Amino acid sequence: MVKFTLNGEPQELNVPSANPLLWVLRESLELTGTKFGCGIGQCGACMVLVNGQPTRSCQMPISAAEGSEVITIEGLSEKGAHSVQEAWVEEQVPQCGYCQSGQIVSAVALLAANPNPTDEDIDGAMSSNICRCGTYPAIRRAIHRAAGIQRQLASTDDGARGEE
Amino acid sequence: MKDQHGDPIEGRDIGKNLSRRSFVKIGVLAGAGLTLGVSYRVIKGPEAPPTDAVFSPSAFLRIDVDGSITVMVAKSEMGQGVATALPQLVAEELHVPLSQVSFAFAPAHPAYGTAMGGMQLTGGSTSIRDSWFPLCEAGAKARWMLREAAAQRWGLAPDQVQMNEGKALHPDGSKLTYAQLASAAALLDIPKDVPLKGPSEFRVIGTPAPRLDVPAKTTGEAIFGMDAGPSNTRVAVVARSPVFGGVLRAFDSTGALEVQGVDEVVELESGIAVVADGYVAAKEGRDLLTIEWADGEWSTLDDTEISDLLKEAADEDGATVRKEGDIDSVLTSDREQIRAAYTLPYLAHATMEPMNCTAWVRNGQCTVWAPTQFQNAPGLVGGGARQVAAKAAGVSADNTVVHTTFLGGGFGRRAEQDFVREAAELAGKVDGPVKVIWTREDDMQHDFYRPASYHDFSAVLGVDGMPEAWCHRIASQSILQRMVPSWVPDFATNWAGTSDPTSTEGAQDQPYHIPNVRVTYSKVDLPVPVGFWRSVGHTQNAFVVESFIDELADLAGQDPYEYRRELLSEHPRHRAVLDTVAEASEWASPVPGGRARGIAVAESFGSFVAEVAEISIQDGQLHVHKVWCAIDCGMVVNPAIVRAQMESGIVYGLTAALYGRINIQGGRVVQSNFHDYQMLRMRDAPDIEVILLPSQEAPGGVGEPGTPPIAPAVTNAVFALTGQRIRELPIQIV
Ligand code: FES
Ligand code: FES
């Protein structure tokens, strides 16, 4: 029995402890937004947040998720309203779309750690995600845009707080 | 992939002319306000999607009781944007904003067959060319009927009614929505001829409308093949012969069946399937099978043998696919000959979503959920997914339904039927729905590879430095030789089998003005499965032609851009993209220190693309900093999608140029996953600037044409920087 929090909801599951988190998400929990691309930690299609850290779910046995907080693409927001998802729509990033859950999760993690990433920061953080459709230029634009949206949100928040 | 579906040479030309001719009718006649008389088929099949719609005057369009407008997209969405561009065509003529339109993937059905043998197929960058007329017409006829219905309701003449933004407008200002008119419109006869808009009237076509599939692709909601099927679907992983042509001799499933979750082990035509309650158990079980394969005659095949065979074949006389002037006397004269040989490797498609297919056979019915590029081909022997699945499952095609999902990449790989056949065969042998999932290793080692090829060039320059003779001998496996018999056996019989336009495209039609030309093709028979890989023959031929012309420019002591330009005086569209990209990249001005630029141009799939790459080399490492790309693809439906496709095609071609190689050892593929078959990543992705040339020409393709020029643009830049001429891909800097 493994217990963890998934997208804010507590989970208790009885699955073989060595099963990768990826397949538990996709098959046992029917959250198919997280994708299988390589199974060996090379492509990032399976990226999720575990305690806020970008994590390749194909490489994480479910037993290692015990007690942790897991967030998948489905848990980022209601209806795609996360600033990164918004930026992704504004920049029209996805092509086939298969890699994009992983790309978005990696970008969310990057911006949480570094609200104002340079191109080099983006190179560093995003090079663990492959996009076979070559959406890299669009991803780069979208991350800068998302950083802008988040800055704007932060300044309105500050402004609002200032008025209180 | 390609759109040759018949005689490999004739079919190609017919295809080109058909789409061009029908477009000319749209552009010219519709622009002049004339009407068109091309009929379309109304869907009548048992699973016809529009049957429960209030109003569905065409297989491509339905309007429901709530007024929702759905375009049935009969092309596969694999990233290239058809699920947006095709609805744009309908929205244009229906006089609705695209935001009011949604899409659904069409079922496999003859109503969606193209002029090419009735195939329902996405390939050869043909989607816009195939769809422009029928989808515009579908929208126009529906709008005509809705207007008629409004006119009758109001007692007006139809031309007193204006149609705008999804509403009919009365001269007095009152309005009726399409939802209010749909049921009345449905009672009217479908008109034979309706006028279509001319380009000057377009409001939706030509705009960078947001993609309809993007929201679902940012929330994880988009359903790919991997995600499809009923919730009780079991998973199978299949063991296939690692050696080309190997056959199963014996196997022991004891170990596999001991794995918790494994239900059964089933022998298939293609191998042995382990069926389990999920992927992990199925894969573990598959890996625990003990199998004895009879490897057959190819178990020692390796790269050396293959390259020797290719080289030998190029040395022999191949089939002449182009001959102009008196090449023999120029080449046998005692004038100096310039010789060069180029080699290219096999390449895997490596779609981001590994192959998979879900099938369920029950009560003589087969249901398939497939990320397929090729749904239907009732007239062809091999058939499309529907016919292939039916046969493998042992049911009739009439009782087989194919649901097309989103495709996690296609690039030609998903026009094959192996993954569909296998799933349907398995579903026919087990109870309940089953999904065959290919591991990344399965996908990479059981692909249909871009053929390896060898190219031998000889040329003679005139006193002005311009080429006077050009001889290009090509040797490779033939894709059509493998495919055509499964399509149309008659063509295979009638076809001499010595040439293959998918191997020579881009070489036999290279555009440079040279008085004496010969291009030959030597077909090499090898067991490596070969198939259509994004831009097909152009991937190899643009590289070698654009490299060798660069060599000639250098020997002539001329600028590579000016040299090409001079030789393209009769090809204004080639010249225009070259000029545009030269200007954008400031070709004539000095390059920043330590960097160099290379240029290349290619026509493919009806579009013209020129690219300039700016590179540097540090510590033996090649860096591509920037790529400029100019495209003339004729009339554009969605410029944002065209730009995205150029970026995509460039990254795809650059990945191949920098890393792409499938090695063969012991009759099997060496590479297995992304650690040894590398992909371009963010840190290596260049800045890309795309320029679209305004054009009123017939639309060309955009899914593939961005790919061919990038490899030579980069290798020509390497030469400019270091003097090293790259004659083999992937690039190795010495
Ligand atoms: S599937 Fe996990 S990194 Fe590729
Ligand atoms: S959008 Fe297709 S792999 Fe990234």
Side-chain angles (χ1 to χ4, degrees):
Chain A
M1 186 72 74
V2 34
K3 294 187 194 177
F4 62 105
T5 312
L6 175 62
N7 297 333
E9 302 279 326
Q11 299 287 338
E12 270 193 44
L13 286 175
N14 212 344
V15 289
S17 61
N19 275 17
L21 173 61
L22 169 65
W23 294 102
V24 175
L25 291 171
R26 289 186 51 80
E27 295 182 341
S28 312
L29 298 164
E30 297 193 13
L31 286 182
T32 56
T34 305
K35 300 301 188 208
F36 163 62
C38 69
I40 62 164
Q42 284 279 329
C43 76
C46 63
M47 203 71 84
V48 299
L49 297 176
V50 177
N51 299 328
Q53 293 305 306
T55 305
R56 296 175 183 87
S57 61
C58 73
Q59 296 300 296
M60 184 182 220
I62 189 66
S63 55
E66 177 70 39
S68 61
E69 292 225 17
V70 177
I71 302 213
T72 67
I73 184 76
E74 292 91 347
L76 284 183
S77 69
E78 285 283 311
K79 296 192 181 297
H82 191 284
S83 53
V84 172
Q85 289 168 311
E86 250 173 59
W88 243 245
V89 171
E90 284 169 17
E91 289 294 339
Q92 294 280 292
V93 175
Q95 291 189 19
C96 87
Y98 195 77
C99 73
Q100 297 295 342
S101 299
Q103 305 278 5
I104 289 169
V105 168
S106 288
V108 167
L110 164 63
L111 288 165
N114 179 354
N116 208 353
T118 63
D119 278 342
E120 288 72 50
D121 298 335
I122 293 174
D123 286 347
M126 300 303 293
S127 287
S128 36
N129 289 77
I130 292 171
C131 175
R132 188 59 166 145
C133 298
T135 62
Y136 302 119
I139 290 173
R140 189 184 297 284
R141 291 192 291 268
I143 290 176
H144 287 306
R145 185 185 278 261
I149 297 173
Q150 292 185 357
R151 273 197 303 276
Q152 218 172 12
L153 287 175
S155 69
T156 4
D157 278 2
D158 289 350
R161 260 195 300 271
E163 279 161 28
E164 271 165 17
Chain B
M1 62 154 297
K2 290 295 305 166
D3 55 4
Q4 293 90 2
H5 301 146
D7 177 290
I9 295 171
E10 287 288 309
R12 170 193 177 84
D13 292 332
I14 290 168
K16 250 188 187 163
N17 292 339
L18 263 186
S19 50
R20 186 165 295 261
R21 263 204 305 273
S22 44
F23 184 78
V24 166
K25 278 197 287 188
I26 303 166
V28 177
L29 298 185
L34 298 181
T35 56
L36 296 161
V38 179
S39 64
Y40 60 95
R41 286 164 283 187
V42 178
I43 197 164
K44 285 208 186 76
E47 76 287 15
T51 44
D52 60 343
V54 172
F55 177 45
S56 180
S58 142
F60 295 106
L61 170 64
R62 53 182 288 160
I63 299 180
D64 281 279
V65 67
D66 59 354
S68 62
I69 300 166
T70 308
V71 172
M72 303 305 290
V73 172
K75 296 290 179 182
S76 304
E77 178 56 82
M78 45 192 171
Q80 83 284 38
V82 286
T84 305
L86 269 43
Q88 278 183 269
L89 297 169
V90 176
E92 179 69 65
E93 288 290 349
L94 195 56
H95 293 194
V96 291
L98 188 66
S99 55
Q100 283 182 25
V101 174
S102 58
F103 70 91
F105 294 123
H109 193 279
Y112 303 108
T114 61
M116 301 305 294
M119 288 179 172
Q120 186 176 336
L121 167 91
T122 308
S125 295
T126 56
S127 292
I128 294 298
R129 290 176 283 174
D130 281 352
S131 308
W132 190 297
F133 184 73
L135 291 194
C136 283
E137 193 192 42
K141 289 188 172 179
R143 190 228 321 139
W144 190 94
M145 294 164 78
L146 290 160
R147 188 180 68 161
E148 192 71 21
Q152 286 180 9
R153 179 89 57 93
W154 284 326
L156 296 170
D159 61 2
Q160 293 175 282
V161 178
Q162 294 285 315
M163 304 297 275
N164 198 17
E165 302 275 307
K167 292 185 189 71
L169 308 178
H170 193 285
D172 71 7
S174 49
K175 292 173 184 166
L176 285 167
T177 63
Y178 285 5
Q180 291 168 311
L181 293 166
S183 44
L187 301 175
L188 302 172
D189 287 340
I190 298 170
K192 259 218 181 75
D193 304 323
V194 286
L196 297 182
K197 289 181 179 179
S200 63
E201 300 166 275
F202 290 161
R203 298 175 66 178
V204 185
I205 293 175
T207 63
R211 289 176 62 131
L212 300 179
D213 57 347
V214 154
K217 288 177 176 178
T218 58
T219 57
E221 286 167 311
I223 298 296
F224 296 85
M226 283 282 185
D227 315 322
S231 59
N232 61 335
T233 300
R234 293 186 297 162
V235 173
V237 176
V238 176
R240 305 171 188 85
S241 167
V243 172
F244 305 123
V247 291
L248 181 64
R249 200 176 272 156
F251 70 97
D252 177 359
S253 56
T254 320
L257 288 167
E258 279 167 8
V259 175
Q260 190 194 338
V262 169
D263 300 329
E264 50 191 317
V265 173
V266 182
E267 191 178 333
L268 302 174
E269 218 176 280
S270 60
I272 306 153
V274 175
V275 186
D277 60 0
Y279 172 81
V280 178
K283 176 171 184 297
E284 197 184 331
R286 192 276 305 262
D287 294 346
L288 286 170
L289 289 170
T290 315
I291 309 171
E292 204 186 313
W293 301 103
D295 284 344
E297 56 178 317
W298 296 106
S299 62
T300 60
L301 184 72
D302 64 10
D303 291 330
T304 317
E305 187 181 348
I306 291 169
S307 61
D308 288 349
L309 282 172
L310 290 172
K311 195 167 174 320
E312 267 166 41
D315 284 345
E316 286 158 19
D317 285 334
T320 299
V321 294
R322 174 167 172 188
K323 190 168 186 304
E324 273 150 38
D326 186 5
I327 183 121
D328 291 319
S329 54
V330 188
L331 286 182
T332 51
S333 68
D334 53 7
R335 296 173 55 191
E336 192 197 343
Q337 269 191 40
I338 300 146
R339 300 286 305 263
Y342 288 79
T343 55
L344 291 98
Y346 293 106
L347 294 173
H349 295 83
T351 57
M352 201 68 225
E353 177 191 23
M355 293 302 110
N356 65 84
C357 182
T358 304
W360 189 3
V361 177
R362 62 197 190 291
N363 312 326
Q365 310 262 343
C366 176
T367 311
V368 174
W369 293 263
T372 174
Q373 290 178 241
F374 188 5
Q375 289 81 2
N376 202 39
L380 300 188
V381 167
R386 188 180 190 188
Q387 291 75 27
V388 166
K391 192 166 168 220
V395 305
S396 75
D398 284 344
N399 287 329
T400 299
V401 175
V402 176
H403 298 289
T404 304
T405 62
F406 278 114
L407 279 60
F411 315 123
R413 175 63 179 91
R414 289 192 153 98
E416 304 290 346
Q417 302 294 359
D418 55 335
F419 60 102
V420 175
R421 180 182 299 112
E422 199 174 60
E425 183 192 349
L426 179 58
K429 292 180 171 172
V430 301
D431 286 332
V434 62
K435 170 178 297 168
V436 177
I437 295 181
W438 296 44
T439 66
R440 173 58 63 191
E441 292 78 7
D442 296 343
D443 185 275
M444 196 160 287
Q445 303 196 323
H446 300 275
D447 198 348
F448 295 87
Y449 304 90
R450 194 283 303 269
S453 60
Y454 182 86
H455 304 256
D456 182 276
F457 283 97
S458 18
V460 172
L461 298 186
V463 282
D464 57 355
M466 291 308 182
E468 209 174 299
W470 169 284
C471 177
H472 178 185
R473 303 158 78 102
I474 304 168
S476 74
Q477 284 176 260
S478 162
I479 301 171
L480 288 184
Q481 169 163 302
R482 178 181 70 77
M483 288 213 104
V484 170
S486 73
W487 288 352
V488 191
D490 287 352
F491 278 118
T493 324
N494 298 335
W495 174 36
T498 51
S499 69
D500 180 345
T502 69
S503 297
T504 57
E505 58 187 359
Q508 71 181 45
D509 48 352
Q510 68 81 6
Y512 295 110
H513 177 78
I514 301 167
N516 306 289
V517 177
R518 179 163 61 217
V519 181
T520 68
Y521 175 64
S522 303
K523 182 168 68 65
V524 178
D525 292 328
L526 283 166
V528 183
V530 290
F532 301 125
W533 187 97
R534 196 175 194 171
S535 84
V536 196
H538 295 283
T539 60
Q540 70 215 22
N541 291 322
F543 170 62
V544 299
V545 167
E546 285 301 292
S547 294
F548 193 57
I549 202 79
D550 218 72
E551 296 202 35
L552 300 186
D554 177 61
L555 290 167
Q558 296 194 29
D559 176 86
Y561 155 59
E562 298 289 352
Y563 194 72
R564 284 177 173 80
R565 201 175 183 285
E566 179 75 25
L567 291 168
L568 290 169
S569 56
E570 285 156 34
H571 294 271
R573 296 179 76 187
H574 284 86
R575 256 197 177 183
V577 288
L578 264 182
D579 290 347
T580 305
V581 86
E583 198 189 319
S585 63
E586 299 181 33
W587 179 263
S589 61
V591 191
R595 296 189 179 189
R597 296 187 194 121
I599 194 166
V601 61
E603 175 194 1
S604 62
F605 310 97
S607 294
F608 300 76
V609 179
E611 288 165 14
V612 166
E614 187 172 298
I615 63 130
S616 70
I617 297 173
Q618 283 137 20
D619 304 327
Q621 275 289 329
L622 172 62
H623 298 276
V624 181
H625 300 279
K626 170 113 195 199
V627 176
W628 293 265
C629 167
I631 174 169
D632 167 4
C633 59
M635 293 185 64
V636 170
V637 178
N638 187 318
I641 291 176
V642 175
R643 284 173 201 284
Q645 281 309 294
M646 291 305 105
E647 293 181 351
S648 178
I650 287 166
V651 170
Y652 201 81
L654 192 53
T655 302
L658 296 178
Y659 316 116
R661 174 193 287 281
I662 286 291
N663 293 106
I664 310 294
Q665 215 73 60
R668 62 188 85 195
V669 169
V670 173
Q671 284 74 14
S672 61
N673 205 319
F674 294 130
H675 65 288
D676 57 6
Y677 192 73
Q678 278 191 66
M679 298 287 117
L680 194 88
R681 292 170 185 267
M682 178 64 91
R683 59 172 169 263
D684 308 310
D687 187 16
I688 300 172
E689 185 179 324
V690 180
I691 303 130
L692 269 63
L693 272 72
S695 174
Q696 296 294 313
E697 298 278 347
V702 299
E704 295 167 279
T707 300
I710 187 62
V714 169
T715 55
N716 292 338
V718 171
F719 177 77
L721 187 68
T722 66
Q724 185 194 352
R725 183 59 70 182
I726 306 287
R727 296 200 185 92
E728 181 173 358
L729 293 182
I731 298 168
Q732 277 183 18
I733 303 293
V734 291

